[in-house]
Amino acid sequence: MYKPFLQHLETSLNQRFELHSHPIPEGLEHRESNPGRSPATIQSWCYQCPELRKIRYTYIDAGEVSQILNSVIYPRHHYDLPLLGVDFLSFGKVKNLIVMDFQPLFQDEAYLDKYIAPLKALHDRYPDLSQDLEMKSYDANQYFSKYLLFAKTDAETVKTRVFEAFKEYLQLYFQMLNAAEPLADLEAIQRVRQAQKDYDQYSAERDPAAGLFKGYFGHDWSERFLHEFLFEDAVPLTAAVG
Ligand code: BLA
């Protein structure tokens, strides 16, 4: 379902950046579901380059039952650009949930004018993919922009409109990165570092995927995957409290 998306992401990254691998902790790169569970594989890729600190994407293939592509791109701390977030999920080919956004690190007006306003024209061309759905796990006002793509749609639309929108959002993101001025002020860089870390913390605590991972791959593996790979800058809750 999302394999062409994965391929496009890979190709455009390779065309634009000099990618180096960003290590994935032992055992987390690839995994088959536990015996007795429905068959599923999860595979992840992770890179870095001079402009981007962490580029990660994950594909879950559970055949007809579910197909998921999830990705986050984190710029280096001397760029205060939003993160690029992608979460495309299909369950049994009938439920298709699409989320894609330039995920703002800050919500002040100057920041949104600079990094989110340029998304408006593109966003307005995809009203069908911008449904006013309610977020249950996340707060729509934190790390999300008002120009996100957020839709429940059908398989045909995924292949056509969503693929088109995905390519355009990605292209605009890379253009913005290309035009971005690196921060020179240490305090400003430190603020970005903290905001990216807070994003990991927030996401690790709210990610609605935790249950799905546990179902397929077991509790221990899922905890490691969440804290050592997806959101490695989050401090596990038990450690934070204790
Ligand atoms: C929802 N994302 C979900 C759900 C799952 C995942 C299982 C719930 C779907 C449902 O309602 O049935 C899956 N999340 C994953 C997977 C990974 C993950 C597989 O992190 C990792 C491999 N989520 C993101 C990113 C965005 C995002 C980067 O990881 C931003 C674009 C958004 N996911 C997002 C939103 C929802 C969602 C907004 C709806 C949740 C809600 O209603 O609050």
Side-chain angles (χ1 to χ4, degrees):
M1 191 90 174
Y2 299 110
K3 295 275 165 82
F5 293 71
L6 183 72
Q7 226 149 41
H8 176 78
L9 178 62
E10 203 138 70
T11 309
S12 34
L13 283 167
N14 271 303
Q15 274 170 356
R16 276 165 224 264
F17 304 106
E18 195 191 314
L19 299 183
H20 299 278
S21 89
H22 176 118
I24 299 178
E26 180 80 35
L28 299 182
E29 189 169 347
H30 180 262
R31 167 101 180 174
E32 312 269 333
S33 53
N34 285 344
R37 312 279 182 167
S38 51
T41 61
I42 182 167
Q43 184 158 3
S44 298
W45 296 264
C46 197
Y47 302 98
Q48 55 189 314
C49 63
E51 303 82 359
L52 303 167
R53 160 175 99 70
K54 183 179 182 187
I55 303 161
R56 65 155 170 87
Y57 45 97
T58 294
Y59 202 95
I60 299 178
D61 185 350
E64 301 268 306
V65 177
S66 140
Q67 300 267 318
I68 300 176
L69 173 63
N70 179 277
S71 176
V72 180
I73 295 183
Y74 298 78
R76 297 255 173 220
H77 295 133
H78 58 267
Y79 291 110
D80 62 355
L81 241 71
L83 311 183
L84 185 76
V86 175
D87 204 10
F88 293 160
L89 309 108
S90 292
F91 299 101
K93 284 202 174 152
V94 285
K95 179 178 170 188
N96 306 288
L97 179 69
I98 297 306
V99 197
M100 181 164 192
D101 200 8
F102 288 15
Q103 300 200 260
L105 293 175
F106 308 106
Q107 292 284 352
D108 59 278
E109 213 174 301
Y111 184 88
L112 299 179
D113 277 352
K114 185 169 179 188
Y115 291 123
I116 302 303
L119 195 50
K120 181 178 190 308
L122 186 49
H123 170 265
D124 288 354
R125 299 210 339 262
Y126 294 95
D128 48 332
L129 303 181
S130 175
Q131 303 165 2
D132 202 13
L133 305 174
E134 195 198 340
M135 288 191 191
K136 296 181 212 94
S137 326
Y138 298 105
D139 174 359
N141 298 312
Q142 224 183 330
Y143 307 117
F144 286 100
S145 83
K146 60 177 172 180
Y147 302 131
L148 85 164
L149 301 178
F150 190 18
K152 283 186 180 154
T153 189
D154 56 87
E156 188 50 36
T157 305
V158 168
K159 281 189 216 145
T160 53
R161 295 283 289 164
V162 177
F163 193 37
E164 221 178 283
F166 173 69
K167 290 193 272 194
E168 292 205 272
Y169 267 60
L170 203 58
Q171 188 180 12
L172 179 61
Y173 187 76
F174 291 151
Q175 275 170 11
M176 274 173 59
L177 180 65
N178 209 19
E181 290 282 337
L183 300 171
D185 177 48
L186 276 182
E187 236 171 80
I189 295 172
Q190 191 52 37
R191 203 170 146 252
V192 172
R193 181 193 307 273
Q194 188 61 46
Q196 288 196 7
K197 196 170 184 260
D198 291 346
Y199 171 89
D200 269 19
Q201 190 71 43
Y202 177 84
S203 305
E205 286 166 18
R206 306 229 178 179
D207 199 332
L212 178 141
F213 293 145
K214 282 177 191 148
Y216 284 126
F217 310 110
H219 175 272
D220 293 356
W221 187 89
S222 303
E223 283 292 305
R224 278 196 66 210
F225 187 66
L226 226 80
H227 285 284
E228 293 177 32
F229 176 61
L230 290 182
F231 308 112
E232 61 192 300
D233 292 331
V235 179
L237 212 50
T238 44
V241 172

